[in-house]
Amino acid sequence: MSAILGSVERPLRVAVVGSGPSGFFAVDALYKATFKFEIDMFDRLPSPFGLVRYGVAPDHQKIKNVIKVYEKDALDQRFAFFGNVNVGQDITIAEMQTFYDAIIFACGAETDKPLGVPGENLTGSHTATEFVGWYNGHPDYQNSSFDLSHPSAVVVGLGNVAMDVARILAKTVDELKTTDITQKALDVLGQSKIKEIHIVGRRGPIQSAFTPAEIKEFHELNHATPVVNPQDLVLNEASQKELTDIHHPVRKKNFEILQKYSAATETTKERKIIFHFLKSPVAVKGNGKVEKIVLEKNVLSGDPEKQSAKGTGTFEELACGNIFRSVGYRGVKIPGVPFEDKKGIFPNQEGRIVDNGKVICGWYTSGWIKRGPSGIIGTNKPDSDETVHHLLTDVPHLKACPSPERESVKQFLAQKNVRFVTYADWKMIDAAEVKRGQPVGKPREKFTSVLEMLSILK
Ligand code: NAP
């Protein structure tokens, strides 16, 4: 008779695909279970922590402290890290099913939503994903180049990523040099001639997705000042209702900060961060590279909480050398896993992956690839808890995999010449990065290519 799944004789074998916040929160939730289990976490990069390492802004080091919690989870005997393994390529989903009773896909939203306007791919027009990945040392974006010689740059979008991009553009080298931003990015930003950073939002201040802490930071910059047109703070009736909705106190806080900015008279700082509300990009123009963006003025239409931007037919042009499109992230497919193209997520019912409405036994998802790219790091905790709760409920019905030994996975990868990176390997890379950062007072100087990281392990 075969042993019961989740027993001492036959621990449950769980794979977590993705080592960002939602993956680690899933691990954390599993540790609270009474079942016996082992967790193998996969990441296509040799380095763990996903968005915390490559998405969180380098000048927001405190947010990265959450890594300490993940680290504790990673050092548990039941856990193994398989970095530098691309699930779907190095190991197919069918092969994964040989080794695991359950798989949690927590692979985030790696790409970005398109803006959908002519000219958006001209040289000088970048996605926020590209810029953020580049300055954070993500190996995928190190071939990107940014010519910051034009005095004006445009950031499209009113979310916190747009605020990160605007702030990094506005900061001086002195304000960034003791962060974990890459040296290459620091050198390019140090040469920047940008004087005006225009943040363009299609809806109004009340509908903005940014949060007070993020816009407050603009006031604290050494050489940049935020600029808000008081006219943009004149609200229609529906927006006034949204502003006073007690369920959304953030709106009031945002509005108060913007009011303060609109009344400010600071003129001595050489860089300006200029907010534009109720304007939609309709085209990017230029002869081979970005020269200007065409914006259509909008009005809001609809009931409170449902207001959308409607074009007025009035247009304006803004000369600029760079455009950073920050209009939201989007998940990417993994071969063999159902994908909901419209939303860019893995279709699921509270974390159980479904195919044409039917639950696939043993397949789960958490984080941005489950619900879409919204929320802060902490939002992923209840999200992953929900997924793991369903997984644990399903244990009696899960199909036991035929090769439940961790050693079999290692052998399989070795046979395929996949140089997987263990957590101990990662700690060596980590230590080398920290050492590189020390002489210049940085928390670390990241390795920006997979080869560089692997070379440390030779
Ligand atoms: P987001 O919060 O969803 O914001 C996206 C922005 O893009 C919205 O202002 C949206 O406007 C706009 N947009 C979408 N499509 C557009 C279009 N076609 N034309 C013009 N504008 C368009 O996304 P995000 O900034 O990428 O952030 C993702 C998540 O990460 C958010 O939950 C964010 O709070 C979080 N995050 C947090 C921090 C932090 O805590 N410090 C830092 C970075 C990111 P509409 O509202 O009109 O759709």
Side-chain angles (χ1 to χ4, degrees), residues 20-153:
S22 59
F24 268 106
F25 282 129
V27 171
D28 212 45
L30 277 163
Y31 283 158
K32 293 187 183 106
T34 49
F35 292 103
K36 296 291 169 214
F37 55 84
E38 286 179 349
I39 305 164
D40 291 352
M41 177 179 268
F42 290 83
D43 202 293
R44 76 181 171 88
L45 292 177
S47 44
F49 312 132
L51 194 85
V52 182
R53 178 173 160 97
Y54 292 118
V56 171
D59 56 343
H60 282 175
Q61 286 297 311
K62 270 193 194 153
I63 297 179
K64 298 187 190 219
N65 280 341
V66 71
I67 284 178
K68 288 180 191 151
V69 179
Y70 303 156
E71 169 111 353
K72 234 168 106 191
D73 289 340
L75 294 173
D76 191 290
Q77 289 288 315
R78 295 165 287 181
F79 178 95
F81 182 60
F82 286 87
N84 199 35
V85 181
N86 196 338
V87 171
Q89 276 179 33
D90 295 328
I91 179 165
T92 66
I93 301 302
E95 287 160 347
M96 291 280 281
Q97 286 180 292
T98 318
F99 304 114
Y100 300 102
D101 309 310
I103 307 172
I104 302 175
F105 294 94
C107 32
E110 280 191 64
T111 186
D112 44 85
K113 276 194 342 200
L115 196 52
V117 304
E120 76 171 298
N121 293 319
L122 275 176
T123 302
S125 172
H126 309 278
T127 61
T129 318
E130 181 189 356
F131 187 56
V132 171
W134 172 76
Y135 65 60
N136 272 328
H138 193 299
D140 286 2
Y141 302 102
Q142 297 311 306
N143 290 332
S144 297
S145 61
F146 297 90
D147 174 359
L148 308 180
S149 57
H150 193 284
S152 181

Side-chain angles (χ1 to χ4, degrees), residues 163-207:
M163 301 306 116
D164 282 348
V165 168
R167 190 181 67 258
I168 295 295
L169 289 171
K171 280 196 168 179
T172 57
V173 167
D174 270 353
E175 289 169 293
L176 291 169
K177 68 183 181 193
T178 53
T179 73
D180 65 354
I181 193 165
T182 64
Q183 190 54 47
K184 185 161 98 178
L186 210 49
D187 292 344
V188 172
L189 289 166
Q191 298 296 315
S192 169
K193 298 280 183 292
I194 293 176
K195 293 276 176 278
E196 291 186 351
I197 299 145
H198 297 270
I199 298 176
V200 174
R202 64 179 170 185
R203 296 195 291 159
I206 308 304
Q207 294 76 35

